[in-house]
Amino acid sequence: MSAADTTTTTPTTPTTPSVTRPRRGRGLIRRVIAAVGVDNLSLVLALVLLVVVIGNLSPLLGISGGQFFWSWQNLMNSLAQSIVIVGLLAIGETVVIVAGALDISVGSIASVASVFSAIIVTQGVLGSFGAGSMQLAILAGIAAGVFCGVINGLIVTILKVNPIIATLGTLAAFDGLAFLIAPEGKPIGVVTQPEFTWLGTGRFLQDLPIPDLGGRPWPGVPVIFVVLIIVAVVMHVVMRYTEFGRSIYAIGGNATAARLAGINLRNVRITMYLISGAIAGLAGVLLTARVTSGNPINGRSLELQAITAVFLGGAATTGGRGTIVGTFLAVLLVGVLTNGMNLLGVGAFYQRVALGILLVGAVAVAQYRQARAERARTRIAAA
Amino acid sequence: MTKSFPNVLALRDVSIDVHPGEILALMGENGAGKSTLLKILSGDYQPDGGTVTRDGESLVFAAPREARQAGIRVIYQEPEIIPGIDVAENIYAGELPMRGPFVDRARLDALVAEDLRRYGFEGVLPTNLMGDMLSSAQRQLVEIMRALKSGVRVLALDEPTSSLTDEEVERLFTLVRRLRDEGVAIIYVSHRINEILRLADRVAVMRDGKLVAARAASELTQGEIVRLMVGRELTDVFRRRPAVQDRVVLRAEGIRSDWHKGVDFEIHAGEVVGFAGLVGAGRTELAKVIFGELPRTAGKISVDGREASITSPTSAIRAGIGLAPEDRKREGLVLIRSVIENASLAILARLTRFGFVQRRLERRIGAEYVERLAVKTPSLDQEVGKLSGGNQQKVVLARWLAAKPKVLILDEPTRGIDVGAKAEIYRLIDELANDGLGIMFISSELPEILGMSDRIYVMQNGRITGELQGGEGVTEEQVLGLAMVDHLAMTAEQAKAAMEAEGQL
């Protein structure tokens, strides 16, 4: 929407034309803003500011980390790889939170999928069929995630348990399940499966003639980062352009109204937990490949970071608002912040405190802005 | 007094005075500035210019609390009632009589009983009823009692009757008159002209933030008030063209549910069928049972002669039924989403190819209905919550027109919207009937039921107690008689007890 559209809201003028059509031929800047979303501009700004601070100003403080930030080694290895797992979980979580629910079991689902994919890739199915196959392992992990997600969906829709309580329960149950399916509850090493570990270590586009940065040669794009981008794009399209996505926004905004408009709440909710579970399952597979081990504790406490990113990305706690783009930007922001703090030598405990403050601060700012918008709205309505 | 907001000058130099022992009616279309004026009185807003004086003393309110201390109290349509505590504690919330650290329950009960007796409401408002069990009327009564006990001098009521039945309205009027006689200055905001003419001593009409008239009620007629409010003549609001066809589009037989004891009715193509009754008669519930939102235990629903298996709103829509619910904010609209998303919600599946919503088609259809209904919105992407009540209702209607149902259920379609928008809704209903739609028209406003309906069903206690042919001959008394037929059959004493049991004011 262009700026001019938003400022002409005067419901009192009886002569307002009923509908003004969207204008064509908008400027490039406006198109970019529209694509990112006006609500996400502050995230972009915060991100730019953070990058400038970390990348340029830290040398002035006599700390060397900043110089290192702009190196291929850091950008493509440390940064791009570190945000993938949380990024995936956050994207799945966005769907659930926009629908006005919550899925806090995603970390445990990732653990289950991590162990399960490790079992499949080392032992195969039915004897040893498919052992060592990357594709089969990915499928197995996603299937484990779908299984867990459908359980969540059924508990919430059929048993009508509050989503927080339901997934708090399955958080514990799936965590236990991950240990139960691992032989003797021990991690399963997959170092001996080169085809599979390529997922975690592989690189695309290594041959591109890209100049060195920060004294480091172009290392190529990590495979897992490409996976994140693909999932993000697909889910962005799903949320924005499909019937399912529209239903998610409608249910999150007002479930009763959505039901009375003929939307099948149960199907949409089960599907949404299925999607969240499937993506968490994929994240579990990538975890196994990266740490070369199917460990039952792989996914522990990742849900906290994922949920943090979703709210930081501008999703409403009450549902109905939130975008994949926003979540992605928030994941990037948290990634850059963590990366920067690492480079500057900030201790791990301080980092956790900083992340906590960031979450609460971001939601507080969002609440304040919403309250202000609300006031403006009631004023206009009263006028 | 002047008050301006971004983009809008809400009040322009409005001067208004109220005298003790007077009921001043404040009228005007939505957006005329009534609510703003009240909010200045209540201390919610500060005027940009002008003053509030009481008994010659100039007052400035920085917060609602200060206005209350000055004896000025505004009662809104939906008062804040704390759900988990009972009536007595709600009335004395914040000023509970204490004995040490404990609430002095005995003294509280005595105080409340005394207050209720003084205003003649003992028995009507059971003091041990929990806040969330109260009817709209009872909630308002609680709020009024709160105001009275703190010695109110000026009482403003904002649309107090919009969710009350005629019966409850009478009781409220009795109370308001009694307060006037005790010397309270009363400001009464309402859209209902008949009520105003019966109740008010003086009428002030506002339009576009200005005061256009303030005259004695006895000098005004209904037509004059409407003309003052809209600035033009509203001739013949209920214009109906006969369009009833022989074909029955909706037939309900033996409908039973938790609320209904065997309901039969039918609606023809092109027919507007009014459903009248007191609040609690089961009309809204009937609509929801027919629409599959509430479960039915027995009975058959046929659409266009074919039995429809309706188990959910989804299946009802598929069978060709649409429902514009009573509470459009809570049940009708996704307020934080756009006009277009709300308008296309019921046809989302139809707009979808291979999982993707065809956005061009969606916008074309959306724009068509938004234009046909003359929804005043800056764009299709405007948040619905930012539109006025009348325009929000039109968005709900646009959704159902786009869905092209055979039967459209309208539950209180004109509640809380202004005269001008009401007239547009009536015109639209007539248009839809002429297009061959069957319309189930539920309303608590008898004039519009009588004015719009080809046929009227009257309900009480989950049954249809009568069927009347629409037209000139039917009177409000006839309808009310059927709506209270159970009560009329009893002695006056029994009827009173029954009404109290139903939780009515």
Side-chain angles (χ1 to χ4, degrees), chain B residues 30 191 328 389-391 393 413-419 421-422 425:
Chain B
N30 283 350
H191 286 315
R328 63 178 167 264
N391 282 307
Q393 186 67 307
T414 63
R415 171 170 294 175
I417 67 181
D418 64 66
V419 179
K422 272 185 184 177
I425 303 269

Side-chain angles (χ1 to χ4, degrees), chain A residues 1 9-10 14 18-20 237 241-243 246 249-250 253-254 257 259-263 319-321 377 379 382-383, chain B residues 5 31 36 291 293 313-314 317 329-331 333-334 336-337 346 349 352 355-357 362 370 375 377-378 382-383 385 400:
Chain A
M1 202 196 300
T9 323
T10 47
S18 51
V19 180
T20 50
V237 169
Y241 301 107
T242 67
E243 184 188 3
R246 287 302 230 15
Y249 281 104
N254 185 343
R259 187 177 61 237
L260 288 176
I263 289 174
R321 258 192 257 263
R377 183 184 315 166
R379 271 183 206 161
Chain B
F5 292 117
T36 312
F291 196 61
E293 166 74 353
T314 319
I317 292 168
K329 288 193 173 165
R330 270 180 36 208
E331 304 188 317
L333 293 165
V334 187
I336 60 171
R337 305 303 303 180
T352 302
F356 286 87
V357 177
E362 179 189 30
V370 161
V375 181
T377 173
Q382 175 79 349
E383 245 180 70
W400 291 112

